[in-house]
């Protein structure tokens, strides 16, 4: 059974204070690891897809990396608008979409 | 390009009733997946449809069902509602529904069961 664990559960940072969010996973054959951002009362917003160990992707102040056991979402010089819950999900197995397995998320608060 | 849309956005029902939620995927996307999100369990996979066929199903009771139409629009139905069914129901669409496809989520339908 696929498992995804995110840490920390909550993180409070000052504006400009860089940090990293962790996503550890156990899957039988990783097909893709996905990062989403979710604001209160809204659906998850897609950020990145990573497919193989060593892969990195960047978007504005965010950078996602992937190893064989975990993924990191690095946030550089965050702003208050980066406050949200960040979700990590994995897709494993065969060719069909068996359904994403999500972690519980990291609730990030950026204080001005 | 318009995103995934879900209707209604909010619903209040009482125990024992049934409810139908609707999802319109991104234009050109043929796969639609449904998820339930609760504070305790997080996001959990319900089922996935592709070309009007249910291909995969999560670990939910038979009260939860769905269907997909020829235009890829999808509906999910929950019968005999229980208090524990109160949740945010999210629909996600992807182009081909393969394991490497990115799923794009709609805004969700907030269901409250009284």
């Amino acid at each position: 059974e696929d498992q995804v664990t995110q840490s920390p559960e909550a993180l409070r940072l000052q504006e400009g204070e860089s940090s990293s969010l962790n996503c550890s996973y156990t899957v039988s054959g990783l097909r893709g690891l996905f990062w989403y951002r979710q604001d209160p009362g809204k659906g998850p917003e897609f950020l990145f897809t990573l497919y193989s160990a060593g892969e990195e992707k960047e978007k504005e102040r965010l950078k996602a990396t992937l190893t064989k056991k975990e993924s990191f979402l690095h946030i550089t010089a965050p702003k208050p608008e980066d406050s949200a819950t960040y979700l990590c999900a994995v897709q494993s197995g065969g060719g069909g979409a068996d359904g994403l397995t999500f972690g519980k998320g990291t609730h990030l608060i950026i204080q001005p | 390009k318009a995103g995934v849309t879900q209707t209604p956005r909010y619903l209040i029902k009482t125990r024992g009733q049934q409810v139908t939620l609707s999802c319109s995927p991104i234009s050109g996307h043929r796969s639609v997946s449904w998820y339930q999100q609760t504070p305790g369990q997080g996001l959990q996979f319900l089922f996935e449809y592709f070309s009007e066929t249910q291909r995969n199903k999560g670990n939910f009771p038979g009260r939860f069902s769905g269907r997909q139409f020829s235009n890829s629009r999808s509906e999910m139905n929950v019968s005999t509602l229980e208090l524990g069914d109160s949740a945010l129901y999210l629909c996600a669409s992807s182009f081909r529904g393969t394991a490497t496809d990115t799923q794009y989520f709609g805004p969700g339908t907030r269901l409250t069961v009284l």
Side-chain angles (χ1 to χ4, degrees):
Chain A
E1 182 180 325
D2 299 345
Q3 290 188 332
V4 178
T5 303
Q6 292 189 245
S7 62
E9 289 184 13
L11 181 62
R12 188 182 297 266
L13 300 172
Q14 291 296 123
E15 184 174 359
E17 182 184 359
S18 300
S19 187
S20 297
L21 313 182
N22 178 264
C23 170
S24 298
Y25 63 89
T26 304
V27 299
S28 54
L30 180 70
R31 302 300 302 277
L33 185 140
F34 305 84
W35 282 99
Y36 291 87
R37 166 198 170 123
Q38 186 174 27
D39 294 300
K42 297 187 177 182
E45 175 188 344
F46 170 70
L47 293 173
F48 303 108
T49 305
L50 302 168
Y51 295 108
S52 57
E55 191 173 0
E56 299 182 352
K57 288 193 177 172
E58 284 188 72
K59 178 182 177 181
E60 296 181 355
R61 296 177 292 281
L62 300 176
K63 178 180 177 180
T65 62
L66 181 64
T67 72
K68 288 186 178 180
K69 293 182 179 181
E70 56 193 349
S71 176
F72 292 93
L73 185 65
H74 308 277
I75 302 177
T76 303
K79 299 181 179 182
E81 53 262 41
D82 294 322
S83 298
T85 295
Y86 290 84
L87 297 165
C88 170
V90 297
Q91 179 73 63
S92 66
D98 295 326
L100 294 171
T101 298
F102 279 85
K104 293 293 179 67
T106 293
H107 182 50
L108 177 65
I109 298 174
I110 309 298
Q111 294 179 309
Chain B
K1 199 180 230 186
V4 178
T5 58
Q6 293 186 245
T7 56
R9 293 294 313 280
Y10 303 92
L11 266 178
I12 300 176
K13 293 286 186 179
T14 56
R15 280 180 299 173
Q17 288 187 309
Q18 74 165 19
V19 65
T20 299
L21 313 181
S22 181
C23 171
S24 293
I26 292 172
S27 178
H29 285 194
R30 297 173 62 191
S31 170
V32 173
S33 297
W34 288 89
Y35 293 83
Q36 181 195 66
Q37 185 174 31
T38 59
Q41 299 299 318
L43 270 144
Q44 294 184 289
F45 172 70
L46 281 157
F47 30 66
E48 185 255 353
Y49 285 87
F50 181 84
S51 291
E52 302 178 65
T53 301
Q54 185 183 95
R55 293 195 302 187
N56 294 291
K57 192 176 191 304
N59 190 24
F60 279 83
R63 299 185 296 106
F64 292 82
S65 63
R67 60 177 176 169
Q68 187 180 35
F69 302 94
S70 58
N71 62 357
S72 294
R73 191 177 68 85
S74 177
E75 289 180 347
M76 71 163 280
N77 183 274
V78 187
S79 63
T80 318
L81 284 165
E82 301 177 358
L83 294 179
D85 297 333
S86 294
L88 181 66
Y89 289 88
L90 293 159
C91 163
S93 76
S94 66
F95 181 55
R96 296 163 300 175
T98 64
T100 54
D101 260 2
T102 295
Q103 295 183 32
Y104 297 89
F105 284 83
T109 294
R110 172 72 63 185
L111 172 64
T112 301
V113 182
L114 303 176

